[in-house]
Amino acid sequence: MFDCVALVGATGAVGRIVLDQLHARKFPMRKLRLLASARSAGTQVRYGDEMLTVELMEPSAFEGVDLVIASTPDEVSAEFTPWAVKAGAIVVDESAYWRMDPTVPLIVPEVNPEAVDGHQGVIASPNCSTTQMVVALAPLHKAVGIRRVIVSTYQATSGAGLAGNVELESSTRASLDGQAHSPETFQHPIGFNLIPQIGSEKHLGYTSEEMKMVHETQKILGDDSIQVCPTAVRVPVAIGHSESILVETREPITAAKARELWEAADGITVVDDLDSKSYPMPRDCDGKDDVFIGRIRQDISSENGIAFWCVSDNLRKGAATNAVQIAELLAKKHLPAVG
């Protein structure tokens, strides 16, 4: 059991789900503290039947804290994480800042839980679009190896934070009313639209969001030879990222065998019956922690190919749930019971 856990970013969309998960999963801790910038300090936030007051995040705030779970922008993580580690805490960080640091494990508990043993005070949780994809890829990679992945994402507006969903609503209303809409969060109006750009230009015409999927997948699966060709698209859906994935395996595998592997895997629910129009959709996966897989089929254009559709709640498994699961690994492996 942890004596003291701190949550940084409790007032955000992901932070509130972390709070719900800590309470629902009966996370082993004696005390919970909420930390934030001066703008949010003093805010009252509900935790179960309690109301907790958000405290100012400063170096002294981490004294006596065993574990920090954080959902903040990259620049905030870069500032506070050294404070927390210096104070003796372990940080589970959801920002992108530490993910590709070679000294920082990047963990999805269903995929590489053993990596938690290599931490030096910081553990990173992957990008939401990467997380659901590697949960789906891992059983295939373990069974027959993966050579190449082609993925197109259909990413919800909540991936851009609370402001993303506010803009989805205002943009949709403007379209319905025949009014112009000036976007602030996205590059173009998102109402009744698709935007094939998430992040800035990064490498050879690929965006930062797309390159995260390349590098994070290789790091989590422990195989830099896996080739990933991603296209990331923002869609007018509030919650739930969807992905169309084509995997080229190193050894042949049938669609039936792939389905069998997914049905046996932790954290995966298979919903796959085309005749009954049964397959994962964002509205059905909202509020659920699993990764959902359907439309499983052989690639008819090449050998050793499996195509499938993958959906997950990006605020839960894509962010909050994964971070809490990492914290649960730490609770089991790293800290003895207090007192």
Side-chain angles (χ1 to χ4, degrees), residues 1 15 22 24 100 175 217 224 237:
M1 176 178 288
L22 290 173
M100 297 312 300
S175 294
T217 297
D224 290 343
V237 170

Side-chain angles (χ1 to χ4, degrees), residues 178-328:
Q179 303 295 319
H181 180 264
S182 298
E184 297 180 4
T185 300
F186 304 117
Q187 303 91 337
H188 302 277
I190 188 63
F192 299 102
N193 198 18
L194 302 178
I195 304 173
Q197 177 184 356
I198 303 178
S200 58
E201 197 280 332
K202 190 70 173 178
H203 176 69
L204 298 176
Y206 290 84
T207 67
S208 54
E209 181 79 3
E210 290 160 352
M211 293 310 298
K212 288 175 188 177
M213 297 188 74
V214 176
H215 298 309
E216 291 177 14
T217 297
Q218 292 171 341
K219 182 173 180 177
I220 295 165
L221 294 179
D223 189 344
D224 290 343
S225 72
I226 297 174
Q227 301 299 301
V228 182
C229 181
T231 302
V233 182
R234 188 73 70 189
V235 300
V237 170
I239 296 175
H241 288 357
S242 302
E243 297 175 350
S244 174
I245 302 174
L246 174 61
V247 180
E248 180 187 345
T249 57
R250 296 185 183 277
E251 299 174 18
I253 185 172
T254 64
K257 180 60 178 179
R259 181 182 289 104
E260 180 182 315
L261 292 171
W262 283 321
E263 288 176 337
D266 290 338
I268 292 176
T269 296
V270 174
V271 182
D272 186 37
D273 187 345
L274 194 59
D275 288 342
S276 66
K277 303 179 179 63
S278 182
Y279 26 72
M281 293 179 288
R283 65 185 303 167
D284 299 326
C285 302
D286 185 352
K288 299 175 182 176
D289 291 321
D290 270 9
V291 171
F292 294 80
I293 293 176
R295 296 301 318 279
I296 303 166
R297 57 208 189 276
Q298 299 288 152
D299 176 9
I300 59 175
S301 69
S302 68
E303 297 181 2
N304 292 20
I306 294 291
F308 62 98
W309 177 250
C310 177
V311 182
S312 185
D313 183 325
N314 55 295
L315 299 180
R316 296 182 75 90
K317 183 54 188 173
T321 301
N322 198 70
V324 172
Q325 288 174 319
I326 294 171
E328 289 172 338

Side-chain angles (χ1 to χ4, degrees), residues 34-301:
L34 310 183
L35 304 178
S37 64
R39 183 179 63 181
S40 297
T43 302
Q44 294 280 304
V45 177
R46 180 172 295 281
Y47 176 67
D49 296 329
E50 303 177 67
M51 293 301 294
L52 302 180
T53 300
V54 178
E55 304 172 45
L56 178 64
M57 182 181 66
E58 54 187 345
S60 62
F62 294 97
E63 294 177 5
V65 173
D66 302 310
L67 172 71
V68 177
I69 301 175
S71 178
T72 69
D74 292 3
E75 63 273 13
V76 177
S77 179
E79 180 181 27
F80 84 79
T81 298
W83 301 344
V85 174
K86 184 177 181 180
I90 303 171
V91 178
V92 177
D93 183 59
E94 296 193 64
S95 81
Y97 188 81
W98 302 99
R99 290 175 187 159
M100 297 312 300
D101 185 317
T103 69
V104 175
L106 183 63
I107 294 178
V108 176
E110 296 90 340
V111 180
N112 61 336
E114 69 286 347
V116 76
D117 294 321
H119 80 82
Q120 299 178 30
V122 184
I123 297 172
S125 185
N127 186 43
C128 47
S129 54
T130 303
T131 301
Q132 68 186 74
M133 184 171 76
V134 296
V135 169
L137 295 180
L140 300 182
H141 189 51
K142 183 177 180 180
V144 291
I146 291 175
R147 186 187 309 278
R148 185 177 183 226
V149 181
I150 301 173
V151 54
S152 296
T153 73
Y154 304 76
Q155 294 182 224
T157 54
S158 56
L162 293 171
N165 281 359
V166 171
E167 190 155 307
L168 171 62
E169 182 176 347
S170 61
S171 179
T172 301
R173 289 185 183 278
S175 294
L176 289 171
D177 293 339
Q179 303 295 319
H181 180 264
S182 298
E184 297 180 4
T185 300
F186 304 117
Q187 303 91 337
H188 302 277
I190 188 63
F192 299 102
N193 198 18
L194 302 178
I195 304 173
Q197 177 184 356
I198 303 178
S200 58
E201 197 280 332
K202 190 70 173 178
H203 176 69
L204 298 176
Y206 290 84
T207 67
S208 54
E209 181 79 3
E210 290 160 352
M211 293 310 298
K212 288 175 188 177
M213 297 188 74
V214 176
H215 298 309
E216 291 177 14
T217 297
Q218 292 171 341
K219 182 173 180 177
I220 295 165
L221 294 179
D223 189 344
D224 290 343
S225 72
I226 297 174
Q227 301 299 301
V228 182
C229 181
T231 302
V233 182
R234 188 73 70 189
V235 300
V237 170
I239 296 175
H241 288 357
S242 302
E243 297 175 350
S244 174
I245 302 174
L246 174 61
V247 180
E248 180 187 345
T249 57
R250 296 185 183 277
E251 299 174 18
I253 185 172
T254 64
K257 180 60 178 179
R259 181 182 289 104
E260 180 182 315
L261 292 171
W262 283 321
E263 288 176 337
D266 290 338
I268 292 176
T269 296
V270 174
V271 182
D272 186 37
D273 187 345
L274 194 59
D275 288 342
S276 66
K277 303 179 179 63
S278 182
Y279 26 72
M281 293 179 288
R283 65 185 303 167
D284 299 326
C285 302
D286 185 352
K288 299 175 182 176
D289 291 321
D290 270 9
V291 171
F292 294 80
I293 293 176
R295 296 301 318 279
I296 303 166
R297 57 208 189 276
Q298 299 288 152
D299 176 9
I300 59 175
S301 69

